[in-house]
Amino acid sequence: MTAAVLVVEDEPIIRMNVVDDLTDHCLQVFEAGTAREAIDVLIAHPDVGVVFTDVNMPGDMDGLALAKIVQERFPSVRILVTSGQRKIPAGEMPPGAIFLSKPYSHATMAATILDLASKSMTAGNEKLGH
Amino acid sequence: MPGKFKPASLNFLAGGGEMGERIRAADWSASPLGRPETWPSSLKTLVQVMLMSGQPMFIAWGPERVMLYNDGYAPMCANRHPWALGKPFSEVWSDIIDDVGPIMDAAYAGVPTYMDDIEFLMTRHGQQVETHFSFGYTPVYDGQDQIAGMFCTALEITSEVIEAKARKAEVLRLREMFEQAPSAIAVLRGPAHVFEVANSAYLRLVGRSDVLGKSVDEIMPDLLQQGFGELLDRVYTTGEPFIGAGVPMRVIDAQTGALTEHVMDFVYQPMRNSDGVVDAIFVEVADATERHKAERMQAVLNQELAHRIKNQMAVVQGIVNQTLKGTTDLAAARRLINDRLGALANAHDLLVRGEGERASLRQIIEAAIKPYGRGGERRIAITGADIEIGPRAALSLALILHELATNSVKYGALSTDAGHLAICWETGALDGKAALDLRWQERGGPPVAEPSTSGFGTRLLRGGVTGAVNTVELTYAVEGLSYRLAADLENVLSAQ
């Protein structure tokens, strides 16, 4: 079974579009509007293998802070980061995280997430203490 | 024979132009001087010198101080000429005798006087005019070694003095302009950069008034540490001007001692002496801190705007995709797309009109209701103290309210005349933080049931306000739909 995907984006219409696109690719998709909500989803759904997060988000955590927590608490989860404001250098993201610049083509986005989801499945999904 | 003797004795009166002729033609027998051939030899010599000279000269002779003068002096007499010839000095110059009388008295007492610039008000051609002369008054002795008269060489310098006055006025005018100039101006003299000139704007800039005669080193040691000393030295030695635009400068306030960051535009212009050697530096400084701040703010705003436009394009793309998704009725989809983009465009309009990219919450709500309000026919109550919300929240709320309104017109309270709608908001608290609490409550419409599928509108409502931490309650009660949105106030007001 392919791993589930969590889409973290505070603009509901963009989120809707991404969620529908991934659902059309037969992926199970969860969504969150803030980093806090995302962590709740990750705890409730251990089958999530990929997190696709925007950087700029309201609340006390942005997408980069979320990526760091995901790497620490859910190390098997693959991370894809996106931003329209600046290009995030690899050094600012957890090792192995990928950056996708906004605006992106939905085909590229979906292909990247499908690839990560298949890798996540092979890596297993064991949780290290959350 | 007297006929032979006379011409020989009057050779000293030869030449001398008009005045020579007048002196020769005058009848001196009634004058205190007597006939020329009887004049003492010292007077004869002086008259000869005077008549031969092109320089204005006059002689005052005898206790009566009788005047003799030459062609050069005649213009100075103006309309007193030729009447003045042979008249006593005090009579000729009665109008200025208070000024020149003492000088004449001194010469008769054996004291010569030289005066570089004497100003006289003279009557010339019936008008009072200001005139200037340089004068030499020399006592003259006769054969008995007694002072018998006075010899004066004069030079009118009125035109030179007036020119010099005009030049001085020009310099004063320039200095005044310089003093009033809005930019700070100073002149630094010599290799040690000593303040020779500093206008009031410059004194304000450095916060002290005692800079003249002091070196840059003494006045602003902190600036030298920031590299401006080397810069001055380089301009002084190379003669190359330096123009600095938008240069950061830390300035110590002389009164408070506080260190403040400024941004300056300045010019160091070398000044050369008549040999072409640099001997000073002209300094002009303008404080560009405020302008710089405004430019930086503008750049940030532009960047934010560019980002928002990119984001809005993705939103438009999303609206189109979501509206077309699974639809078979293209005409209906086209209407929906038009209405949704129209709602977004209206909200943009409100943002542009609002101050600093903000929009009034009440106007955003009214704009969403307006197409369905039809005046007082429907009971729509809008209550809440108006607040100015940020651009992301405004655009997002406009879409949410549009979906609520269109849904209500189709299925809810606004679909019947009996229904009514209450929209109210207040600022309260959400998880201990200030929050905007907005409620949409429909009553009196047809019975409401929860939709079986989750469409674009429902998903949008559940998503809440973009860019804000929020909680949403969407209740499909039988008596009417209610929607409650509690969003972090700081996020909602944010300019981001």
Side-chain angles (χ1 to χ4, degrees):
Chain A
M1 191 191 96
T2 314
V5 177
L6 169 59
V7 176
V8 194
E9 159 71 58
D10 68 324
E11 172 61 75
I13 293 172
I14 294 175
R15 189 167 77 228
M16 237 182 264
N17 227 17
V18 172
V19 167
D20 286 2
D21 229 45
L22 296 175
T23 309
D24 288 348
H25 284 87
C26 300
L27 285 164
Q28 196 196 348
V29 188
F30 297 98
E31 53 186 291
T34 64
R36 293 254 169 229
E37 280 175 33
I39 291 167
D40 289 345
V41 172
L42 283 168
I43 291 169
H45 300 280
D47 53 329
V48 171
V50 181
V51 168
F52 175 37
T53 183
D54 190 15
V55 170
N56 240 30
M57 278 187 302
D60 51 4
M61 258 193 275
D62 68 0
L64 290 176
L66 173 63
K68 193 158 176 289
I69 285 174
V70 169
Q71 187 227 356
E72 283 165 4
R73 293 180 57 180
F74 312 94
S76 65
V77 174
R78 304 285 175 142
I79 301 163
L80 178 62
V81 174
T82 184
S83 174
Q85 274 178 327
R86 63 187 184 104
K87 191 177 176 343
I88 310 292
E92 286 184 40
M93 301 187 294
I98 297 172
F99 177 75
L100 183 66
S101 166
K102 263 188 189 178
Y104 43 76
S105 93
H106 271 233
T108 310
M109 182 270 296
T112 311
I113 288 178
L114 277 171
D115 182 48
L116 289 174
S118 67
K119 280 178 184 156
S120 169
M121 185 187 60
T122 53
N125 208 14
E126 59 277 356
K127 298 286 164 297
L128 297 177
H130 61 262
Chain B
M1 278 180 59
K4 274 181 190 171
F5 176 75
K6 197 181 172 188
S9 67
L10 288 180
N11 277 348
F12 73 98
L13 287 179
E18 179 199 340
M19 286 312 291
E21 210 161 291
R22 285 187 184 280
I23 290 171
R24 286 192 295 273
D27 176 11
W28 295 99
S29 54
S31 162
L33 293 183
R35 295 205 329 269
E37 52 268 41
T38 67
W39 293 353
S41 60
S42 52
L43 179 57
K44 284 181 177 170
T45 308
L46 280 179
V47 171
Q48 189 207 342
V49 167
M50 181 183 81
L51 290 178
M52 293 294 165
S53 174
Q55 201 184 338
M57 290 175 185
F58 77 86
I59 299 159
W61 199 260
E64 300 82 4
R65 303 176 182 178
V66 171
M67 280 190 75
L68 297 164
Y69 58 93
N70 64 2
D71 279 359
Y73 189 79
M76 292 186 190
C77 298
N79 51 12
R80 292 162 228 252
H81 167 75
W83 161 82
L85 179 64
K87 296 289 183 307
F89 181 83
S90 57
E91 198 180 313
V92 172
W93 296 113
S94 59
D95 51 340
I96 55 167
I97 201 66
D98 287 348
D99 290 320
V100 295
I103 301 168
M104 181 63 70
D105 292 345
Y108 267 82
V111 181
T113 306
Y114 178 76
M115 304 198 80
D116 202 23
D117 174 18
I118 297 180
E119 184 182 326
F120 294 119
L121 272 178
M122 282 201 190
T123 306
R124 284 184 172 174
H125 311 292
Q127 282 197 321
Q128 287 260 300
V129 288
E130 178 189 321
T131 60
H132 296 264
F133 293 90
S134 71
F135 278 94
Y137 288 79
T138 313
V140 181
Y141 291 81
D142 64 8
Q144 283 77 50
D145 215 19
Q146 295 297 310
I147 291 168
M150 191 257 4
F151 180 56
C152 176
T153 55
L155 194 58
E156 177 159 11
I157 54 169
T158 303
S159 57
E160 286 91 333
V161 168
I162 283 170
E163 245 171 61
K165 267 191 179 172
R167 268 199 305 276
K168 200 173 163 191
E170 179 72 12
V171 167
L172 282 175
R173 207 165 60 89
L174 280 174
R175 195 161 277 239
E176 180 67 14
M177 279 165 61
F178 186 82
E179 184 60 24
Q180 299 303 325
S183 51
I185 294 170
V187 173
L188 302 175
R189 175 71 57 189
H193 316 305
V194 172
F195 282 96
E196 186 178 69
V197 175
N199 72 351
S200 51
Y202 195 93
L203 297 180
R204 270 198 307 278
L205 182 73
V206 298
R208 51 194 293 177
S209 55
D210 60 338
V211 305
L212 295 189
K214 296 197 171 103
S215 69
V216 171
D217 206 8
E218 283 173 84
I219 302 295
M220 297 173 288
D222 49 312
L223 280 193
L224 296 194
Q225 281 164 19
Q226 293 171 51
F228 293 97
E230 282 113 78
L231 213 52
L232 283 170
D233 289 342
R234 204 171 73 208
V235 170
Y236 197 87
T237 48
T238 64
E240 297 279 329
F242 183 89
I243 297 168
V247 179
M249 210 180 268
R250 290 186 307 279
V251 180
I252 293 176
D253 189 299
Q255 262 89 55
T256 65
L259 192 69
T260 49
E261 284 285 345
H262 286 251
V263 175
M264 304 290 192
D265 290 340
F266 65 95
V267 176
Y268 288 162
Q269 179 73 40
M271 294 169 77
R272 292 168 193 279
N273 63 16
S274 51
D275 298 329
V277 178
V278 174
D279 66 348
I281 297 173
F282 175 87
V283 178
E284 187 183 359
V285 187
D287 194 332
T289 310
E290 289 306 311
R291 198 196 66 215
H292 199 73
K293 221 183 270 174
E295 281 171 1
R296 220 168 32 199
M297 180 99 75
Q298 191 60 48
V300 168
L301 283 179
N302 285 347
Q303 206 189 344
E304 270 172 17
L305 191 61
H307 179 65
R308 195 183 330 135
I309 287 169
K310 254 197 285 186
N311 202 58
Q312 284 295 297
M313 294 315 280
V315 168
V316 168
Q317 196 179 21
I319 289 173
V320 173
N321 283 344
Q322 290 299 317
T323 312
L324 287 176
K325 199 177 170 72
T327 190
T328 46
D329 186 350
L330 275 182
R334 187 185 301 128
R335 263 198 312 278
L336 274 176
I337 290 171
N338 275 342
D339 288 351
R340 285 169 176 161
L341 295 187
L344 203 55
N346 282 343
H348 268 287
D349 249 12
L350 291 177
L351 276 180
V352 171
R353 274 189 231 130
E355 280 282 312
E357 294 275 276
R358 284 172 186 282
S360 132
L361 176 58
R362 176 173 285 275
Q363 281 183 16
I364 291 283
I365 292 169
E366 281 171 354
I369 300 302
K370 198 180 166 197
Y372 318 109
R374 292 218 298 263
E377 283 173 44
R378 294 175 198 281
R379 278 159 294 171
I380 300 175
I382 301 174
T383 43
D386 199 13
I387 51 170
E388 297 274 311
I389 60 175
R392 284 193 83 187
L395 295 171
S396 166
L397 265 178
L399 280 178
I400 288 171
L401 292 163
H402 171 75
E403 291 305 318
L404 282 167
T406 48
N407 181 74
S408 183
V409 165
K410 268 192 199 158
Y411 315 108
L414 297 184
S415 70
T416 67
D417 284 342
H420 56 262
L421 164 65
I423 304 166
C424 59
W425 71 92
E426 58 187 10
T427 47
L430 169 71
D431 294 338
K433 290 188 79 178
L436 169 67
D437 191 353
L438 176 78
R439 292 164 198 241
W440 172 291
Q441 190 117 36
E442 297 180 29
R443 287 292 179 268
V448 170
E450 184 159 357
S452 52
T453 56
S454 218
F456 171 78
T458 313
R459 292 171 78 185
L460 189 73
L461 297 188
R462 290 198 192 281
V465 180
T466 305
V469 174
N470 41 193
T471 58
V472 169
E473 287 169 31
L474 181 57
T475 316
Y476 296 95
V478 176
E479 64 269 26
L481 176 145
S482 64
Y483 178 70
R484 183 179 178 188
L485 179 74
D488 185 301
L489 189 62
E490 197 185 312
N491 292 158
V492 169
L493 302 181
S494 165
Q496 299 283 318

